[in-house]
Amino acid sequence: MTEEPIIQIQNASKSFGHIRAVDGVSLDIQIGEVLVIIGPSGGGKSTLLRCINRLEVLDKGDIIVDGVSVRNPRNINHVRAEIGMVFQLFNLFPHLTALENIMVAQRVVRNRSNKEAEQVAHKQLAKVGISEKWNSYPSKLSGGQQQRVAIARALAMDPKIMLFDEPTSALDPEMIKGVLDVMLDLANDGMTMVVVSHEMGFARAAADRIALLDFGKLVEITTPEQLFNNPQHERTKLFLSQILEH
């Protein structure tokens, strides 16, 4: 007996004016699966990710998250409580320390006491490898450290699903590996993850499946081995030839 997919994307479409950013995408994501979404800029990757927790509202179709439709606004806070999201830019409160940034949502959304929220925050900072930075303000942290705080903040909410929207694209090259290592650890721990990324090494190492989106359409979805060694679609072959070094 197979479990119900934790995310079911059903003929999802989203347009901005004349541009169809997401065009009839359907796919299921299983509990504990790591799906990496790749494709050219403007292909609809980030829009699809944002539709999963209704930061963008679908025009057509539906997305079911843990049994709840995101098209029903009454349920959206229930859905969002189960999803952690990490953005390109870290969206930390500049006037709060790393620890305080991680505590805020815990108190508001999870109704945790100050003491409990602080304990969880310290635990998550240790998990992402920067426990010593608990009292630092964002301006005193490197980009990679700020992104790790953002990941710790999302994990502190005990999400069932983590969404990553190009989490390393704003980082200096030497900062990228540390963030990807944290994400790889999460994947190895069995976290359900949907990751929009241009980091092909991470996609190869961490993904159960990789999806290629182009012009809002799902071109191909398969295992990393199949995608990199024997892609089925000409568009996939062209994209990989442009992005991979030979």
Side-chain angles (χ1 to χ4, degrees), residues 99-206:
L99 193 77
E100 291 165 341
N101 264 284
I102 299 169
M103 290 172 62
V104 172
Q106 292 186 67
R107 293 197 302 253
V108 174
V109 179
R110 293 294 192 203
N111 295 315
R112 290 175 182 158
S113 66
N114 263 351
K115 183 178 180 182
E116 185 183 4
E118 185 174 337
Q119 288 172 340
V120 171
H122 277 297
K123 176 185 171 184
Q124 296 303 339
L125 281 171
K127 188 178 182 76
V128 301
I130 51 168
S131 52
E132 75 284 359
K133 298 294 185 181
W134 66 274
N135 202 32
S136 298
Y137 289 91
S139 62
K140 300 299 182 184
L141 299 173
S142 70
Q145 289 168 339
Q146 289 185 63
Q147 192 61 292
R148 290 199 224 182
V149 173
I151 294 171
R153 177 180 59 188
L155 291 174
M157 303 300 288
D158 298 322
K160 293 181 179 178
I161 300 160
M162 287 284 287
L163 307 179
F164 292 88
D165 188 5
E166 300 195 28
T168 59
S169 65
L171 301 181
D172 293 331
E174 65 267 24
M175 304 292 179
I176 290 173
K177 183 179 183 300
V179 172
L180 292 178
D181 284 348
V182 170
M183 293 168 62
L184 194 55
D185 286 343
L186 281 180
N188 290 335
D189 288 345
M191 174 65 75
T192 304
M193 296 164 59
V194 186
V195 183
V196 170
S197 182
H198 294 292
E199 299 292 338
M200 294 299 121
F202 172 81
R204 195 189 290 265

